[in-house]
Amino acid sequence: MRQWFKILTVAGLVTGAPAAALAQEEGEQPSLSAQDQAALATMNAAVVDGHVIPAFKAQAEAGAALATAADAFCKAPDAAGLDKLRLAFGAASDGWQKVQHLRFGPTELFMRSSRLMFWPDPRDSVGRQLADLLAKKDPALFAPAGLEQQSVSVQGLPALERLLYGDDATKLLAGDGEAKLRCAAVAGIAANVATVAAQALADWTGGSIDYEKLVKTAGPGNDIYRSASEATVELFKSLYLAVEVVADRKLSKPLGENAGAARPRLLEQWRSGRALRNVMLDLEAAKGLWDAGMGSAVRQRDGALAAEVDKALAEVLNAAGQVSPPLETALGDPARRPAVEALVAKATALKTLIAQKVAPALGIPLGFNALDGD
Amino acid sequence: MWNLTRRATLRLAAAAAAMLPFGARPRAEGHLWFGTRLDAQGGAHATAFDAEGRPVIDLPLPARGHGIAVSPDRKIAVVMGRRPGRFALALNLADGSVAAQFAPSEGCDFCGHAVFSADGRLLYATETDWEGERGLVGVYDAAAGFARVAAWESGGLDPHDVRLLPGDGRIVVANGGILTHPDAPGAKLNLEDMDSSLAVLSLADGSIERHFRLEPGLFQLSIRHLVVGRDGTVGFVMQYEGPAERLVPLGGLLRPDGTLQLLEMPRDGLADLRQYCGSAAADAAGETFGMTSPRGGSAAFFRFSDGGYLGSRGLSDVCAIAADPALAGGFYIAGGHGGIERVSPSVRAEVLQGDLARTALWDNHMALA
């Protein structure tokens, strides 16, 4: 944390002319009135209180429960214990999914997002790194001090998923040295997930970083957010990302060009069969953020637009509900595939609506250039 | 993906003639500004407008377009597909008809930018060779329907913008240095050890004559867009992939003698760029240039001669920028939330009117033709 603050305070890497020396020619940019900024500040606080903090609390609780379940399993590994542990893994995975769109501040400090969920992984870094680490046959490498020295790809949920659901998952129950080693890996990674999730929550809710306060005190004198609208930008990007992952990242490549070309192993968490649930959680997170305050802020400025977004959110959630699980086989099933394609189309339409219309309604400059630039 | 067929070419050509949704008129004498845009359904178009912002060419694209290369005789504009680009479309500027369509070679994708040789016979396009995990400059023969006649290594991953240096003997390539993968849309896979660089290539044989990197402390700056001044000074424009809280320079100059200089500007102006510049253009005289940040809705202007900061102008989601020959030190800028403006560092000279100027939503780049 000290390192992070150092970055904050020595941000003046660019020496150059002091701001006063050269007049900024920004006068004609439609700037927001004090009243607009106040409305955004109110919205920011409502979204942080009603959406962000509860999601990080839930993630931290699920992470702690996962660590507890892993320890319990490793004391007496059996099939029933493994089932329980898998449930705890699912809950922790859900916890991540509910914050994965909030990729600013605490989520991005210390590479937390990559350490919790290294995905996508087209070069199979998780598989290779985990295999290398297991081959060293040293349980200490998975203890906290050992694990944090390793690649981020083996520190989080994807590595845990391999251990719990991969082809070798039964080795956890063999009662031999390999089982002990794998248990140490499971327990160590679960403990790391718990720690990282707890740290993210701690940085949101107090301590030396206190990101909640940083967002709520946006304005002159705040190094990170010079105005409420700058903090709104983060929340807006989060709304966009929650939809964009569904529109562009999580489904399009697994779908392929046609049913015969589907590639279900490009789905997120295909081993544990969570891909469809994850997409649903992402869209619910978008709706959660919108309903927690952004929607009403837009409604005050443009009621018709807010209604349009409400409708699009309902439609995309409905489209996700129309996909018959499991998604892993729906992609290549001519009967079930159209529902997946319809979901992508609805998500794309909502993404476009958010980029083109919602940002201007909030008075922030982000459009498709800013959100999907190159 | 999108296959190049003669039938498709003809269909597009017919569409070009038919589709002028903004009430176009024939091309006026003088310049065109050629960009790409998205409609409300997210569909992409290649669109050129005249000095008053009236549409002259408007053509549907198979996917989002990106950079536009204009031939030296201003007869052809090549619209490159957005990264990972699967198409390039060469248009006749006289009538908007399709001169050629071409696709990247097997195993490669376009990276979004290209530039013509000084004689207009060759087109140099940045590409990624996925299997080889390397950046390329593909060389295309305009007279042969843009057949690829050579491919050179660009000197790094993720080559993006490419520009001709004065004298036609060399090009400069911005290697963004970010590793991506076709199976992982939107993912940047090497932010912890990315390696961006500027490479100067000989056009005689593609050899890398000079290769420049920023100091190690700035390794997470991705050099992506380029402009070239009258004296051959290269302006390079960057995006930062490091911690959100860190304020770093987003532009620099590479002098003909090989000296590198990072651009200084007031802290607030720099903070307004929000760690990201997405496009750049030199003015008509090659004395100044502008770089745009859609994230900040801000365009910042600099002198080539000493890197001096000249001022900033705001426009929501602004990225597209091209020179305005009618305004000293002036530019056309266009925004992703709509709007075309003629600006210079000191004035907002004109907000263009008309349907296109008011309603079209402009994508990353625009070229003066």
Side-chain angles (χ1 to χ4, degrees):
Chain A
M1 282 168 215
R2 281 187 61 199
Q3 189 185 357
W4 185 70
F5 257 83
K6 203 162 88 187
I7 292 166
L8 276 187
T9 51
V10 302
L13 178 80
V14 182
T15 48
L22 257 169
Q24 283 289 105
E25 305 285 351
E26 292 281 7
E28 293 139 41
Q29 185 171 21
S31 59
L32 295 171
S33 68
Q35 194 183 352
D36 291 336
Q37 291 287 1
L40 291 179
T42 302
M43 183 205 88
N44 294 342
V47 172
V48 166
D49 291 343
H51 177 72
V52 176
I53 304 285
F56 279 95
K57 273 192 178 141
Q59 182 187 223
E61 282 164 16
L66 172 65
T68 303
D71 284 343
F73 169 74
C74 287
K75 276 180 190 139
D78 61 18
L82 182 56
D83 286 346
K84 274 191 195 163
L85 177 53
R86 284 173 170 167
L87 282 177
F89 166 82
S93 178
D94 285 358
W96 158 255
Q97 217 53 241
K98 290 174 189 173
V99 302
Q100 64 94 30
H101 59 304
L102 301 168
R103 277 205 206 198
F104 61 97
T107 313
E108 287 307 292
L109 291 178
F110 308 106
M111 302 180 67
R112 282 181 188 136
S113 61
S114 297
R115 288 161 73 203
L116 285 172
M117 187 57 145
F118 192 87
W119 190 90
D121 182 20
R123 304 202 298 171
D124 193 25
S125 177
V126 174
R128 286 186 290 114
Q129 300 281 351
L130 184 61
D132 286 355
L133 209 51
L134 289 170
K136 291 179 181 162
K137 303 205 177 295
D138 178 3
L141 290 174
F142 294 99
L147 196 59
E148 68 182 25
Q149 305 297 319
Q150 307 302 324
S151 158
V152 294
S153 64
V154 297
Q155 293 190 25
L157 296 165
L160 202 49
E161 187 197 26
R162 298 244 178 186
L163 291 162
L164 298 181
Y165 291 91
D167 293 339
D168 294 336
T170 51
K171 290 184 179 175
L172 282 166
L173 300 174
D176 55 5
E178 174 74 10
K180 280 207 174 74
L181 176 70
R182 286 174 174 264
C183 238
V186 165
I189 296 169
N192 188 58
V193 168
T195 301
V196 175
Q199 287 169 343
L201 175 63
D203 286 349
W204 262 107
T205 52
S208 59
I209 290 183
D210 200 352
Y211 219 82
E212 175 181 4
K213 187 176 168 197
L214 208 52
V215 171
K216 289 182 177 174
T217 58
N222 183 319
D223 277 343
I224 305 293
Y225 303 118
R226 295 171 298 170
S227 63
S229 63
E230 290 196 350
T232 301
V233 162
E234 304 277 30
L235 299 173
F236 172 79
K237 278 160 62 182
S238 300
L239 172 71
Y240 180 85
L241 182 63
V243 178
E244 196 255 347
V245 291
V246 180
D248 297 341
R249 303 193 195 192
K250 293 193 173 179
L251 298 174
S252 62
K253 292 294 171 179
L255 268 167
E257 290 291 288
N258 52 58
R263 298 168 71 192
R265 292 196 171 190
L266 292 179
L267 287 169
E268 185 184 40
Q269 295 187 313
W270 59 270
R271 287 180 181 79
S272 53
R274 305 193 73 78
L276 181 58
R277 179 177 176 83
N278 289 350
V279 162
M280 187 66 96
L281 290 173
D282 297 337
L283 296 171
E284 284 173 358
K287 181 168 162 53
L289 193 160
W290 177 257
D291 290 345
M294 195 171 283
S296 57
V298 171
R299 201 165 292 115
Q300 284 167 20
R301 291 153 180 262
D302 186 341
L305 175 61
E308 205 179 341
V309 175
D310 284 339
K311 180 163 170 280
L313 276 165
E315 284 179 1
V316 73
L317 276 161
N318 181 56
Q322 296 297 313
V323 177
S324 328
L327 179 59
E328 288 71 14
T329 56
L331 300 175
D333 177 349
R336 293 186 293 145
R337 179 183 166 89
V340 185
E341 292 169 333
L343 167 60
V344 172
K346 288 290 182 194
T348 303
L350 176 55
K351 177 192 89 161
T352 304
L353 178 66
I354 291 169
Q356 295 186 356
K357 302 241 181 90
V358 173
L362 290 169
I364 57 178
L366 279 70
F368 55 81
N369 288 294
L371 294 162
D372 194 11
D374 192 357
Chain B
M1 286 306 238
W2 196 66
N3 280 320
L4 164 78
T5 65
R6 178 161 167 74
R7 184 175 296 172
T9 307
L10 293 171
R11 208 162 48 225
L12 275 169
M19 290 211 37
L20 288 167
F22 294 97
R25 53 171 68 186
R27 178 182 176 180
E29 282 302 307
H31 289 288
L32 288 182
W33 285 261
F34 205 123
T36 64
R37 65 180 182 89
L38 293 185
D39 60 32
Q41 286 71 46
H45 305 257
T47 303
F49 58 85
D50 66 11
E52 284 78 47
R54 292 172 298 211
V56 178
I57 296 170
D58 193 69
L59 184 71
L61 292 172
R64 244 173 114 176
H66 196 69
I68 296 102
V70 177
S71 64
D73 61 9
R74 293 166 55 208
K75 288 186 174 165
I76 299 279
V78 179
V79 182
M80 302 303 296
R82 174 188 167 77
R83 183 174 61 93
R86 301 297 304 156
F87 74 93
L89 189 61
L91 300 172
N92 291 306
L93 282 167
D95 59 4
S97 63
V98 176
Q101 279 176 257
F102 52 107
S105 297
E106 182 72 27
C108 291
D109 281 333
F110 292 130
C111 293
H113 288 272
V115 69
F116 276 94
S117 59
D119 63 9
R121 289 166 59 186
L122 298 173
L123 183 82
Y124 306 101
T126 51
E127 304 175 6
T128 285
D129 165 15
W130 294 111
E131 189 71 24
E133 272 191 12
R134 58 184 187 151
L136 298 176
V137 175
V139 185
Y140 294 82
D141 182 347
F146 292 89
R148 189 161 94 166
V149 293
W152 303 327
E153 294 211 10
S154 71
L157 293 176
D158 185 27
H160 198 61
D161 207 351
V162 53
R163 299 283 171 136
L164 195 66
L165 291 170
D168 194 31
R170 293 169 298 146
I171 50 173
V172 56
V173 182
N175 290 303
I178 296 173
L179 178 68
T180 54
H181 193 284
D183 288 345
K188 298 166 180 172
L189 301 170
N190 68 336
L191 295 185
E192 297 317 302
D193 58 354
M194 50 183 281
D195 180 21
S196 182
S197 65
L198 278 171
V200 175
L201 273 65
S202 162
L203 295 179
D205 58 2
S207 61
I208 295 174
E209 290 188 351
R210 309 193 72 161
H211 208 168
F212 303 89
R213 284 180 172 78
L214 301 181
E215 59 177 270
L218 297 174
F219 81 100
Q220 283 178 311
L221 274 168
S222 176
I223 305 171
R224 304 196 74 76
H225 293 101
L226 302 169
V227 289
V228 179
R230 193 169 50 86
D231 69 349
T233 293
V234 177
F236 54 94
V237 171
M238 304 179 280
Q239 66 191 49
Y240 187 55
E241 299 292 345
E245 297 75 22
R246 193 172 171 209
L247 205 58
V248 295
L250 294 172
L253 296 172
L254 168 62
R255 301 290 178 194
D257 68 2
T259 322
L260 280 175
Q261 174 192 351
L262 291 172
L263 296 175
E264 296 175 351
M265 62 187 294
R267 281 189 60 131
D268 274 349
L270 182 59
D272 284 342
L273 302 179
R274 300 193 68 86
Q275 298 193 313
Y276 179 92
C277 281
S279 188
D283 75 346
E287 302 287 350
T288 70
F289 66 97
M291 56 192 219
T292 50
S293 168
R295 290 188 189 167
S298 180
F301 301 94
F302 297 86
R303 267 190 308 269
F304 276 108
S305 62
D306 61 355
Y309 171 70
L310 300 171
S312 297
R313 313 295 317 169
L315 176 65
S316 193
D317 200 42
V318 64
C319 201
I321 180 168
D324 177 3
L327 181 65
F331 299 86
Y332 280 71
I333 57 176
H337 289 139
I340 306 171
E341 298 185 359
R342 296 176 61 214
V343 299
S344 77
S346 52
V347 294
R348 186 196 211 184
E350 185 183 0
V351 177
L352 273 63
Q353 299 301 319
D355 284 350
L356 184 80
R358 278 200 310 271
T359 64
L361 311 179
W362 297 97
D363 211 331
N364 293 176
H365 298 294
M366 179 160 75
L368 174 66

